[in-house]
């Protein structure tokens, strides 16, 4: 009976930690989904998908999407991280700030290399200045005449999807 109660208490504390929008989670990046989304495995072996706060990288079907993913893999894959959960998006995805080994912020490198936009709404000034610097230097996606932000690309893709009857 005590073992069941301890397991229940452990599960409840883990759920509460993830429900807390300011929760901090330590883990290891085990999968890079795209240039702004990774999956970590936490200390209690839970797989958690995290979207980076403040940046949006090209979709994999977009120009530079694959390069963005490859750079994110190089920066984060198999690295120990601390994630500060800052909230959830309208679809319930966890959003956060990920620091590699406690101090390296991958968002900064993605922006400096010209492989990410700042968020569509409420851009973070520090991140916005890095994006503008990459744009001024014609880094990667900023070499295009008319780079399409990923949020516009996603909206365009939904227009072409067949309507459910």
């Amino acid at each position: 009976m005590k073992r069941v109660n301890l397991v229940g208490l452990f599960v409840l504390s883990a759920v509460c930690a993830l429900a807390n929008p300011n929760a901090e989670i330590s883990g290891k990046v085990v999968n890079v989904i795209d240039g702004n989304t990774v999956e970590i495995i936490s200390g209690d072996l839970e797989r958690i998908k995290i979207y980076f706060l403040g940046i949006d990288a090209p979709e994999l079907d977009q120009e530079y999407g694959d390069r963005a993913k490859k750079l994110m893999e190089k920066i984060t894959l198999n690295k120990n991280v601390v994630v500060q959960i800052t909230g959830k998006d309208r679809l319930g995805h966890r959003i956060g700030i990920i620091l590699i080994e406690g101090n390296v912020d991958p968002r900064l490198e993605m922006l400096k290399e010209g492989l990410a936009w700042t968020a569509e709404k409420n851009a973070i000034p520090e991140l916005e200045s890095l994006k503008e610097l990459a744009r001024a230097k014609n880094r990667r996606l900023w070499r295009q005449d008319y780079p399409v932000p990923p949020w516009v690309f996603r909206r365009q893709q939904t227009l072409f999807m067949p309507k459910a009857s």
Side-chain angles (χ1 to χ4, degrees):
M1 186 68 163
K2 287 182 182 181
R3 182 179 291 179
V4 172
N5 287 340
L6 287 175
V7 170
L9 183 60
F10 177 75
V11 170
L12 181 61
S13 67
V15 168
C16 288
L18 291 177
N20 177 0
N22 295 317
E24 191 170 276
I25 303 167
S26 294
K28 183 176 187 175
V29 175
V30 293
N31 185 24
V32 173
I33 296 164
D34 60 25
N36 60 275
T37 313
V38 297
E39 189 174 36
I40 68 164
I41 189 156
S42 67
D44 62 357
L45 304 180
E46 181 180 4
R47 290 179 85 92
I48 305 167
K49 188 189 297 187
I50 306 291
Y51 291 77
F52 283 83
L53 174 71
I55 68 167
D56 200 352
E59 295 296 320
L60 295 176
D61 293 340
Q62 278 186 275
E63 191 168 355
Y64 293 99
D66 191 48
R67 288 184 191 180
K69 179 181 178 181
K70 284 183 174 139
L71 179 58
M72 186 59 74
E73 286 173 339
K74 181 179 176 186
I75 297 169
T76 65
L77 193 58
N78 297 316
K79 303 272 176 62
N80 293 321
V81 297
V82 175
V83 182
Q84 177 69 45
I85 303 294
T86 58
K88 292 184 178 183
D89 66 12
R90 62 184 177 80
L91 300 174
H93 302 127
R94 292 182 186 102
I95 299 171
I97 298 169
I98 296 176
L99 296 178
I100 301 166
E101 296 170 359
N103 62 3
V104 176
D105 187 341
R107 301 174 304 165
L108 307 181
E109 192 65 24
M110 297 299 290
L111 290 165
K112 286 178 191 174
E113 288 298 317
L115 289 171
W117 277 261
T118 51
E120 178 182 16
K121 298 176 184 171
N122 305 318
I124 299 167
E126 176 191 11
L127 300 180
E128 186 69 19
S129 65
L130 290 173
K131 179 197 81 173
E132 289 304 321
L133 185 60
R135 182 184 295 207
K137 291 182 175 182
N138 267 352
R139 301 293 307 218
R140 302 225 169 49
L141 64 86
W142 303 115
R143 292 179 189 149
Q144 301 172 80
D145 290 332
Y146 302 102
V148 177
W151 55 87
V152 171
F153 181 82
R154 288 188 295 268
R155 289 177 193 139
Q156 290 170 342
Q157 297 308 299
T158 60
L159 290 175
F160 297 116
M161 294 177 70
K163 303 263 186 214
S165 42

